[in-house]
Amino acid sequence: MRLLLLLCWLLCLPMAQAQVRPFDDILASGVLKVAVYENFPPYSFQQDGQPRGVDVDLAGRLAEGLGLKLELLWVTPGEKLDDDLRNFIWKGHYLRPGVLADLMLRVPYDREFANRRNDVGELANEQVVMFGPYQRERWQVVHDTRRLPEVDTVAVFREHRIGVELDSVPSFYLSSVLNGQLRAKTEHYPSTAAAFTAMREGKVDAVMALRGELDWLQHGAADPQLRNADNAYPNLGQPAWDIGMAVHESNRQLANAVDGQLEELIESGALEKLYAGYGLRYELPGLYQDVQ
């Protein structure tokens, strides 16, 4: 009977509530908890058991600048960014009850998205502050010049096969642009790395993906015959966008402190060097381009 009562009591306990740590508590703890996406090279991944990636290194520099140690929270993306912000910044995930990050990286920095409202007119992410743009990202095509010397327009993919990650923006784009004329030559793979490998094996002549991912893969391949296409993508809604950070709306003091550290890293050129260490081109976010 005692065991039965104990089990009933445990089942009735509420799930542990995730608590947002105020800035003073973060400083007192000596630790900054930062959420980064797992298995997402070159941004955040593990290699030989060690955390690596530009976001991992940036998080470490930010924590160091605040006099704190870095604690990484490896997260998997949900179906929407709203899910990730809810799970890791303000509410918590049911698989990780009571666990929240102080700071989340690789959050699109977009005023329109930040001010988006739900069906009843309330801010959809009112419990989140999105700030600190630190990089401009864009879509890129890489082609093997041995089989495809030039990519003057995406129309060349009427005749040449191109690889994309399944269910990605390039996948939907190439399957629909030009009235679907490129669909038959668009090959789908489980990841950008798999599509890139297919290109190196001659199964496709080009790959379309995030520029950072392709820079990283090209850096590892060290093949001068693999080149970046320099062309526009007609009817692609957002070919480039800024990447930033997020904190809970009650933690603007942390956001201000991180912003100060970030500005120093950008203006000193340290962040550009960090990206170059992974073979990535670094493009300033719009906020900093506007003041140059």
Side-chain angles (χ1 to χ4, degrees):
M1 178 62 73
R2 285 185 178 179
L3 180 59
L4 180 60
L5 290 173
L6 178 61
L7 289 173
C8 289
W9 177 73
L10 289 173
L11 289 172
C12 290
L13 282 176
M15 244 175 90
Q17 293 297 308
Q19 297 293 324
V20 177
R21 300 196 305 164
F23 186 56
D24 289 343
D25 289 357
I26 294 171
L27 295 179
S29 75
V31 173
L32 181 66
K33 299 180 180 181
V34 181
V36 294
Y37 289 109
E38 64 180 4
N39 301 322
F40 195 20
Y43 311 109
S44 44
F45 61 104
Q46 296 196 48
Q47 189 173 57
D48 299 325
Q50 297 299 315
R52 294 203 63 206
V54 290
D55 285 353
V56 170
D57 290 358
L58 173 58
R61 296 291 292 270
L62 294 174
E64 181 182 6
L66 297 175
L68 302 170
K69 293 182 179 180
L70 173 64
E71 179 180 323
L72 291 173
L73 178 62
W74 296 97
V75 303
T76 55
E79 291 186 3
K80 300 183 298 182
L81 177 59
D82 293 349
D83 299 334
D84 298 343
L85 296 172
R86 179 185 66 249
N87 291 336
F88 310 120
I89 290 296
W90 64 268
K91 184 177 182 180
H93 196 285
Y94 70 92
L95 292 177
R96 287 174 167 172
V99 177
L100 285 178
D102 304 314
L103 175 70
M104 186 170 183
L105 299 189
R106 201 140 294 272
V107 175
Y109 180 80
D110 184 278
R111 295 291 186 186
E112 185 175 338
F113 178 84
N115 294 323
R116 186 169 48 87
R117 296 184 177 272
N118 58 25
D119 295 339
V120 295
E122 299 172 335
L123 287 173
N125 289 293
E126 63 178 354
Q127 299 198 60
V128 176
V129 173
M130 286 169 266
F131 74 104
Y134 61 90
Q135 173 216 339
R136 175 155 288 186
E137 184 64 276
R138 61 178 64 244
W139 299 111
Q140 179 72 59
V141 168
V142 169
H143 59 106
D144 190 323
T145 58
R146 286 164 291 223
R147 298 185 302 276
L148 179 56
E150 299 289 341
V151 181
D152 296 326
T153 168
V154 294
V156 300
F157 299 116
R158 293 189 182 109
E159 305 297 332
H160 291 268
R161 294 191 180 278
I162 182 169
V164 295
E165 183 176 0
L166 187 67
D167 293 333
S168 65
V169 170
S171 169
F172 295 119
Y173 172 68
L174 291 170
S175 297
S176 59
V177 73
L178 301 181
N179 296 317
Q181 295 179 42
L182 313 183
R183 188 180 300 123
K185 295 293 185 178
T186 302
E187 301 289 341
H188 296 85
Y189 295 91
S191 66
T192 297
F196 191 85
T197 297
M199 178 175 63
R200 299 198 70 196
E201 293 174 348
K203 297 175 182 177
V204 296
D205 299 333
V207 175
M208 184 175 182
L210 292 173
R211 181 173 66 179
E213 288 184 290
L214 292 175
D215 280 356
W216 160 254
L217 292 166
Q218 284 180 274
H219 179 66
D223 184 347
Q225 298 301 316
L226 303 179
R227 297 181 187 172
N228 296 306
D230 185 18
N231 57 279
Y233 305 105
N235 302 320
L236 179 59
Q238 193 171 16
W241 62 99
D242 291 340
I243 298 295
M245 313 179 189
V247 299
H248 190 270
E249 63 86 20
S250 66
N251 232 340
R252 294 175 184 270
Q253 196 173 358
L254 172 61
N256 291 337
V258 168
D259 244 342
Q261 295 298 318
L262 176 63
E263 184 173 347
E264 183 177 334
L265 291 172
I266 291 176
E267 293 183 349
S268 68
L271 190 55
E272 183 175 4
K273 291 180 181 177
L274 187 157
Y275 274 70
Y278 289 89
L280 275 61
R281 289 166 287 172
Y282 178 71
E283 184 177 353
L284 281 170
L287 178 66
Y288 292 89
Q289 291 183 12
D290 294 342
V291 298
Q292 288 192 336

